[in-house]
Amino acid sequence: MKIAVLSGKGGTGKTLVSVNLAAAAQRSTYIDCDVEEPNGHLFFKPEVLQEEEITVKIPRVEDKLCQGCRKCVDFCQFNALAYIKEKLIVFEDVCHSCGGCILLCPEKALTEKDKGIGKVQKGLSDQVRVYTGILDIGEVSGVPIIKKLLSENKSYESQSDENRSNENEPESDQLTFIDCPPGSACSVMESIKDADYCLLVAEPTLFGVHNLNMVHELVKIFNKPCGVVLNKSLEGENPAETFCLEKNIRILSRLPFDHELGRLNSNAEIAVRKSEHYKALFSALLETVTKEVQHETAAYS
């Protein structure tokens, strides 16, 4: 069961929610797909078991073979190639690694080379498997790193299912929490595409409503069942709550605007591991979310 936690902007509380849900579930997987600014590992402080560099393929020019036909330049939809002063130039930061220019070149003047863009760390914190993607500073797209994170988790789940089958053990639907990047760009789309359920975290402001509407539109495009957690809730009017009622979006929980919870979070402490009160709060949210996922996935299947 894969639950994607997302919001329309940074600072709304998606890492607070996803980290504490993963910790409340105990045996679970937490995947930090916010590769530009990953911070889940600051809470879990995992023992890093493995680290892998992530690379993409980009073209390399053999100047002696290039005849200046410009077929590759005309083909590239991202303007990653230019032929200037009888020399083919590759703009590595713009290249999308499609490989089309290499296939088209009649003189075989283009070959592939690896370019590092970041890394993936895998670790363990108590019984929570922690996957962290880290995009190198200055790199444009973290999508290849997100793909690697999700494929690694899929491989682990497949291996675990095979081991249980060999030992005649019942299948275990382990929970996976995907801490998505903020917003609704390509990296968010990649993060939620295989999710069973999307958990939208919202703030009680008019700006919060705008951001909530943005991600809600996204999950509708992907036809994903979803529910909302209203974070930093106060007494009185809540525009985000009003929006959910008008749009008939299920409100799964209201997290209070609480000084102690804010203090724990700002100190990179996992609330459910520090306080019985917050353990009960997030355990109740976890139970609500899992029941909602089971209900919605059954309805969508």
Side-chain angles (χ1 to χ4, degrees):
M1 186 184 296
K2 300 179 183 69
I3 301 169
V5 184
L6 60 160
S7 61
K9 60 177 279 293
T12 302
K14 60 184 177 57
T15 297
L16 166 72
V17 171
S18 54
V19 162
N20 280 279
L21 286 178
Q26 297 182 345
R27 291 191 63 185
S28 63
T29 300
Y30 168 83
I31 305 177
D32 197 343
C33 288
D34 189 2
V35 298
E36 293 184 32
E37 296 178 310
N39 61 346
H41 66 285
L42 300 176
F43 293 85
F44 282 112
K45 304 171 181 63
E47 177 185 349
V48 177
L49 304 178
Q50 188 176 348
E51 183 173 292
E52 179 181 352
E53 183 183 7
I54 306 301
T55 62
V56 294
K57 300 290 186 181
I58 61 172
R60 173 169 48 199
V61 183
E62 299 290 343
D63 291 323
K64 293 180 180 179
L65 297 178
C66 180
Q67 299 297 313
C69 69
R70 298 175 185 264
K71 287 185 178 180
C72 58
V73 176
D74 295 335
F75 168 81
C76 184
Q77 299 298 301
F78 303 101
N79 298 314
L81 294 159
Y83 192 76
I84 302 172
K85 294 184 177 181
E86 299 184 354
K87 184 176 179 64
L88 183 62
I89 299 173
V90 178
F91 300 107
E92 296 184 357
D93 291 339
V94 185
C95 177
H96 280 54
S97 304
C98 73
C101 58
I102 296 169
L103 294 174
L104 278 176
C105 182
E107 304 298 331
K108 307 300 180 186
L110 291 171
T111 56
E112 286 184 328
K113 68 175 182 179
D114 288 327
K115 176 192 175 186
I117 62 167
K119 59 187 176 182
V120 165
Q121 293 178 339
K122 294 184 284 185
L124 196 63
S125 174
D126 288 348
Q127 297 185 72
V128 180
R129 290 169 46 247
V130 180
Y131 288 179
T132 303
I134 304 172
L135 182 68
D136 287 344
I137 294 173
E139 291 299 329
V140 176
S141 174
V143 169
I145 298 178
I146 294 171
K147 287 182 176 180
K148 181 64 176 179
L149 286 168
L150 298 177
S151 67
E152 284 287 321
N153 181 60
K154 190 174 183 179
S155 298
Y156 175 84
E157 290 178 337
S158 298
Q159 185 63 47
S160 297
D161 290 342
E162 182 178 341
N163 292 340
R164 281 192 293 269
S165 177
N166 292 337
E167 296 173 7
N168 295 319
E169 293 182 1
E171 290 189 9
S172 175
D173 194 5
Q174 187 172 359
L175 289 169
T176 296
F177 296 93
I178 303 168
D179 190 351
C180 298
S184 55
C186 296
S187 56
V188 183
M189 299 180 198
E190 189 66 38
S191 300
I192 71 171
K193 69 177 187 179
D194 293 326
D196 299 306
Y197 192 84
C198 289
L199 191 58
L200 316 181
V201 183
E203 292 178 326
T205 65
L206 291 174
F207 287 117
V209 171
H210 171 78
N211 297 321
L212 174 58
N213 183 49
M214 187 166 58
V215 290
H216 181 243
E217 288 295 322
L218 176 66
V219 299
K220 284 201 303 181
I221 292 172
F222 277 76
N223 198 30
K224 298 290 184 182
C226 68
V228 171
V229 172
L230 298 175
N231 192 24
K232 309 174 187 176
S233 294
L234 295 165
E235 293 183 3
E237 184 181 359
N238 188 329
E241 182 174 5
T242 302
F243 173 84
C244 291
L245 295 174
E246 291 175 351
K247 298 291 185 180
N248 197 29
I249 306 171
R250 178 81 186 275
I251 299 173
L252 303 181
S253 181
R254 296 168 177 82
L255 300 180
F257 188 78
D258 184 85
H259 175 78
E260 179 61 18
L261 182 58
R263 184 189 65 81
L264 289 170
N265 198 50
S266 63
N267 289 328
E269 300 284 358
I270 299 176
V272 302
R273 293 181 180 176
K274 294 294 181 179
S275 165
E276 287 298 321
H277 170 69
Y278 297 121
K279 183 177 181 180
L281 178 67
F282 282 99
S283 294
L285 173 57
L286 176 65
E287 183 178 357
T288 301
V289 170
T290 52
K291 287 182 179 178
E292 184 71 9
V293 174
Q294 291 167 353
H295 171 74
E296 290 290 346
T297 51
Y300 272 67
S301 61

